[in-house]
């Protein structure tokens, strides 16, 4: 993103995309951007993470990477239907997989083949500016909670009124669970440290940088906390506009 602020507009009502080209284009976008998928099986509360490793319009198939944690494979083998949910730049994309999948390989790695869905739910939800921090502005963070001890330390890469993106050194994916609320997200903001609760929405590890990237959504913030975050985002917004002049 060249511009650190993108006005996403207000949230839009969800749309059902059924045109084959639209379905393919949105799933292909998830694959190309390596956006994490959250997979849930009907009648089960556990959540699994995966990625799209192939989207083939000619054959009308797609391939999922192995599930994290991998014990979810037994539900796939049993032919249990599941739901897939992903987020890309504030847009929620979701679909149902009712047909049994086929276990196979892609470029020597294990994967799960499925038919392209006939329709996907497309929901533009973000309604806040997202400020991308410059290298000189990166904010120190510490993430902890009842399900996470000891704490993990890293940096905040961007922030909006509703959430933020974090970078933590090393591969911490085994210690974190998408969908989990962590009560101790401590942000070292310029006007003082602040600790809030946040839900982990996205999680992936990038080997090239040897870092884990987390998409966090602020959870049940107080009015004071909300104002502090909005004040910081507004400050970044003004600084970015001045630098663009």
């Amino acid at each position: 993103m060249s511009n650190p602020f993108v006005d996403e507009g207000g949230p839009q009502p969800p749309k059902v995309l059924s045109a084959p080209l639209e379905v393919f284009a949105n799933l292909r976008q998830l694959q190309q951007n390596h956006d994490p998928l959250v997979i849930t099986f009907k009648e089960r509360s556990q959540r699994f993470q995966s990625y799209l490793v192939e989207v083939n319009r000619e054959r009308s198939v797609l391939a999922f990477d192995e599930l994290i944690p991998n014990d979810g494979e037994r539900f796939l083998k049993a032919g249990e239907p599941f739901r897939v949910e992903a987020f890309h730049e504030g847009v929620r994309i979701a679909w149902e997989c009712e047909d049994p999948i086929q276990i196979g390989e892609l470029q020597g790695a294990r994967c799960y083949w499925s038919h392209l869905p006939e329709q996907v739910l497309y929901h533009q939800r973000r309604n806040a500016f997202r400020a991308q921090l410059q290298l000189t502005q990166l904010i120190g963070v510490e993430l902890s909670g009842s399900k996470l001890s000891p704490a993990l330390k890293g940096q905040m890469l961007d922030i909006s009124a509703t959430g933020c993106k974090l970078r933590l050194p090393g591969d911490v994916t085994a210690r974190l669970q998408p969908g989990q609320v962590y009560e101790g997200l401590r942000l070292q903001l310029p006007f003082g440290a602040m600790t809030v609760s946040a839900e982990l929405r996205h999680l992936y590890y990038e080997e090239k940088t040897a870092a884990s990237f987390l998409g966090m959504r602020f959870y049940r913030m107080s009015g004071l906390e909300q104002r502090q975050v909005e004040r910081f985002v507004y400050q970044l917004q003004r600084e970015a506009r001045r630098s663009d002049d």
Side-chain angles (χ1 to χ4, degrees):
M1 292 170 56
S2 57
N3 183 350
F5 290 91
V6 178
D7 187 357
E8 303 286 351
Q12 304 296 315
K15 296 185 289 187
V16 175
L17 306 181
S18 56
L21 184 57
E22 281 187 311
V23 171
F24 167 76
N26 280 278
L27 298 187
R28 180 74 168 169
Q29 187 170 242
L30 295 178
Q31 178 204 351
Q32 292 177 331
N33 287 278
H34 202 56
D35 292 315
L37 313 177
V38 175
I39 292 179
T40 52
F41 293 88
K42 293 185 177 181
E43 313 301 328
R44 299 186 185 276
S45 59
Q46 190 174 4
R47 297 156 67 97
F48 300 88
Q49 181 175 295
S50 185
Y51 297 89
L52 286 177
V53 292
E54 176 72 341
V55 181
N56 190 306
R57 186 183 175 202
E58 289 72 28
R59 295 170 52 205
S60 193
V61 296
L62 56 80
F64 296 100
D65 199 2
E66 290 189 88
L67 299 191
I68 305 171
N70 61 14
D71 60 349
E73 183 175 298
R74 69 180 188 271
F75 304 137
L76 294 177
K77 286 181 175 178
E80 294 190 21
F82 58 94
R83 181 174 183 81
V84 186
E85 182 182 52
F87 292 85
H88 180 76
E89 295 184 352
V91 176
R92 175 175 176 264
I93 299 172
W95 69 97
E96 306 276 350
C97 288
E98 300 284 347
D99 298 328
I101 59 92
Q102 298 293 323
I103 298 177
E105 286 192 354
L106 182 67
Q107 299 178 347
R110 193 176 185 84
C111 70
Y112 312 115
W113 292 98
S114 171
H115 295 296
L116 282 178
E118 293 184 359
Q119 60 184 35
V120 299
L121 184 71
Y122 179 98
H123 191 188
Q124 169 70 53
R125 307 202 305 178
R126 185 179 296 165
N127 60 354
F129 281 111
R130 181 166 291 270
Q132 185 172 344
L133 299 170
Q134 304 302 314
L135 288 176
T136 55
Q137 298 174 309
L138 295 185
I139 300 298
V141 299
E142 184 175 287
L143 183 64
S144 64
S146 59
K147 300 289 182 66
L148 179 62
S149 181
L152 297 172
K153 294 184 178 181
Q155 294 173 313
M156 183 169 68
L157 301 180
D158 69 30
I159 184 171
S160 74
T162 57
C164 60
K165 182 176 181 179
L166 311 181
R167 179 178 64 202
L168 306 182
D171 185 356
V172 299
T173 55
R175 296 189 58 193
L176 299 168
Q177 177 68 39
Q180 178 67 46
V181 174
Y182 296 95
E183 308 89 10
L185 175 57
R186 182 179 176 84
L187 310 174
Q188 298 289 345
L189 299 180
F191 43 81
M194 174 177 147
T195 302
V196 298
S197 295
E199 179 187 2
L200 176 60
R201 302 305 302 267
H202 321 301
L203 169 67
Y204 69 94
Y205 172 67
E206 187 177 84
E207 291 186 3
K208 183 172 63 176
T209 58
S212 298
F213 295 86
L214 288 62
M216 309 295 298
R217 185 173 183 85
F218 298 133
Y219 185 79
R220 295 182 180 174
M221 287 199 299
S222 68
L224 176 60
E225 292 168 342
Q226 186 75 58
R227 289 192 296 274
Q228 286 179 312
V229 168
E230 290 174 352
R231 170 187 166 194
F232 181 50
V233 172
Y234 180 65
Q235 175 184 322
L236 292 171
Q237 179 185 351
R238 287 196 306 173
E239 291 174 0
R241 285 177 175 166
R242 277 202 302 267
S243 66
D244 287 342
D245 292 339

